[in-house]
Amino acid sequence: MGARFALADPQSRTAPLALRRYAVPIEAMAALLGAAVAGLLLMAPLDLGWTSEGPVLQLDLLVLNMPRAAAAGAAFAVVSAALVVALGRKTAWIASSGSAVVLVIDRLWNCDAATPGNMTTANYIDSIFSGILLGALAVAVFGKPIATGAYLIGALSAILIADQTALPPAGGRGNPLIEWASSGTLPVWLLVLAGALLVAGIAVQQPEPAGEHENTDLAMGPILSALILVTATTLSTEWFVQHAGTPAQMGVAAAITIGAALVAALLLPGREGTLVLLAVAVANAGSAVIAVPRPDWSAPFPVLAVVAGLAVGRRWRAPWIALAATAGLAVFAAGTAGIAHQYAVIPVLGVILTALAIGFCFGTAVPKTAGSAVVALAVLVVPCLVVALRGSSFGRVAYSARWYRDPHGAVSAVPGTVALVITLGCAAGLYLLWRIRSPRAVSAPERTLPPRVIAVPDRTRNVLPQG
């Protein structure tokens, strides 16, 4: 039976007209702030000053579980992205808003009675629901250029700032703005603002098309890719901090990192695994840079550098140049390790170069599907091999005993050298990926959102003449 398609009635749209006019800025602000909150809570250490008087064993357990909580959050980010893809964009906004509400409740519940026991639980809650927020929000905004750019700026800037947090000064605190921006104790008003913007993002969404054959399959490629990366990184780094010391052990750990990155990249559609390989390389190179101590006036530089790197990368699509820049960052880290604590300009320059490299990597190879992008963000969240190198002196995966970068810690060129080896390995992996995957292979979108249509019977066809 013949059928023709007509556009749906515009009156069926449910978003209030006043809000629809501001849909683009609302979605962009929600994406920016939501991704920033998720990145900070996933990466930043908890305010351990709250528990300095607590039992040593419980405090040590809290610090020990920080990298595991981050790994759990990274895994939940990818799983949530894969799940909400099959449920639609509006469901992604609802999941993001629900996660923000849980984060607000958790912060209000634990802000008055902070003990090592409940802070360990709060750390896992923050990490898991921040991961869900990060993953669902990626699906909500991908395909919308302005909102996608805001999402990447918020997520990458937050991860970078939290990763390069300095050890708080003894007997006092520094700049209050920097204090809450670089710690897991975000103010409640900021979480409430993020949640309100995400709820507004729900309100401005249009009804999704009721296609005849909707794709409701679960995207298993990103899930398997993330599980391999997160599991291999977590297990190898925890093993490494207990057995580090010989070049052979470093080589084995680096080989595991490179192999897991290549397998994870191959599990993603087309050449979208390119960003995963770039993320593995830049995560290790950035962790090798001596980033502290830094003056307070340098705080805006990482954000500005991330924006600049994303802009250049989006305009100049050159993954090989991104790898070359990452290798240069690793060489910089190794070459300045001995003098970084003597000159304040070196940590500032290191942070700027790291932000530029991260922004350029994500800008030059941003994938078409949200799931692949979240896998690459998960790489930045999980503590990498170079972080284990810095924590091997006290037997845990961290920069210092309290999960901060220690401005007075021992320095060495070894982390930068290992980061350079991993970057070269990722370059080899990228070469193999591009040889295996044809340049004409286009990644299939996770869910196609065609124009809303309705079927109308065609009564003009198959009309037989009378008599």
Side-chain angles (χ1 to χ4, degrees), residues 43-56:
M43 289 288 297
L46 292 168
D47 188 354
L48 298 176
W50 288 359
T51 59
S52 58
E53 304 297 328
V56 175

Side-chain angles (χ1 to χ4, degrees), residues 8-369:
D9 184 2
Q11 300 298 325
S12 64
R13 298 175 180 177
T14 60
L17 181 60
L19 282 179
R20 283 208 308 268
R21 293 175 179 174
Y22 304 101
V24 173
I26 286 175
E27 290 178 343
M29 289 187 294
L32 177 67
L33 194 55
V37 165
L40 287 172
L41 291 179
L42 272 170
M43 289 288 297
L46 292 168
D47 188 354
L48 298 176
W50 288 359
T51 59
S52 58
E53 304 297 328
V56 175
L57 180 60
Q58 292 187 10
L59 181 59
D60 192 67
L61 181 63
L62 169 63
V63 176
L64 183 65
N65 277 279
M66 284 182 179
R68 298 176 184 176
F76 270 87
V78 179
V79 172
S80 65
L83 286 173
V84 298
V85 158
L87 300 176
R89 195 184 299 277
K90 190 167 185 177
T91 303
W93 281 104
I94 294 174
S96 303
S97 304
S99 301
V101 171
V102 173
L103 293 173
V104 172
I105 295 173
D106 179 58
R107 186 49 46 89
L108 292 173
W109 185 269
N110 292 284
C111 64
D112 294 328
T115 64
N118 65 16
M119 285 191 72
T120 301
T121 303
N123 189 27
Y124 272 98
I125 293 175
D126 280 355
S127 296
I128 289 173
F129 283 94
S130 297
I132 295 174
L133 171 57
L134 192 69
L137 189 56
V139 177
V141 302
F142 253 65
K144 301 181 178 183
I146 296 178
T148 300
Y151 172 85
L152 290 175
I153 291 171
L156 295 177
S157 300
I159 290 172
L160 184 66
I161 291 172
D163 173 67
Q164 297 176 335
T165 304
L167 187 68
R173 295 185 179 274
N175 188 309
L177 182 62
I178 297 176
E179 183 65 29
W180 69 254
S182 59
S183 70
T185 53
L186 298 179
V188 176
W189 66 263
L190 182 64
L191 296 174
V192 171
L193 178 58
L197 286 170
L198 291 168
V199 171
I202 300 175
V204 300
Q205 298 306 303
Q206 304 291 342
E208 294 190 45
E212 185 177 357
H213 301 289
E214 291 185 351
N215 177 19
T216 58
D217 296 334
L218 183 64
M220 292 302 299
I223 295 178
L224 293 176
S225 177
L227 288 179
I228 289 174
L229 268 177
V230 170
T231 303
T233 303
T234 303
L235 294 180
S236 63
T237 51
E238 289 193 357
W239 175 89
F240 184 78
V241 294
Q242 300 175 12
H243 302 85
T246 67
Q249 291 164 342
M250 295 181 191
V252 169
I256 292 174
T257 300
I258 297 168
L262 178 58
V263 172
L266 290 172
L267 286 171
L268 297 177
R271 292 184 172 181
E272 293 197 356
T274 297
L275 183 58
V276 171
L277 291 166
L278 296 181
V280 170
V282 79
N284 283 273
S287 296
V289 171
I290 305 296
V292 293
R294 299 192 310 275
D296 290 350
W297 53 262
S298 66
F301 290 173
V303 179
L304 298 176
V306 165
V307 174
L310 280 171
V312 174
R314 293 291 291 170
R315 188 174 183 84
W316 194 11
R317 302 297 184 88
W320 292 106
I321 295 179
L323 274 175
T326 302
L329 183 64
V331 172
F332 172 84
T336 60
I339 59 174
H341 289 168
Q342 302 175 20
Y343 304 98
V345 68
I346 294 180
V348 173
L349 184 58
V351 169
I352 294 174
L353 292 177
T354 302
L356 284 172
I358 290 177
F360 187 79
C361 287
F362 275 77
T364 197
V366 62
K368 296 181 180 179
T369 57

Side-chain angles (χ1 to χ4, degrees), residues 6-9 12 207-210 450-454:
L7 293 177
D9 184 2
S12 64
E208 294 190 45
R452 182 176 173 85
V453 295
I454 55 175

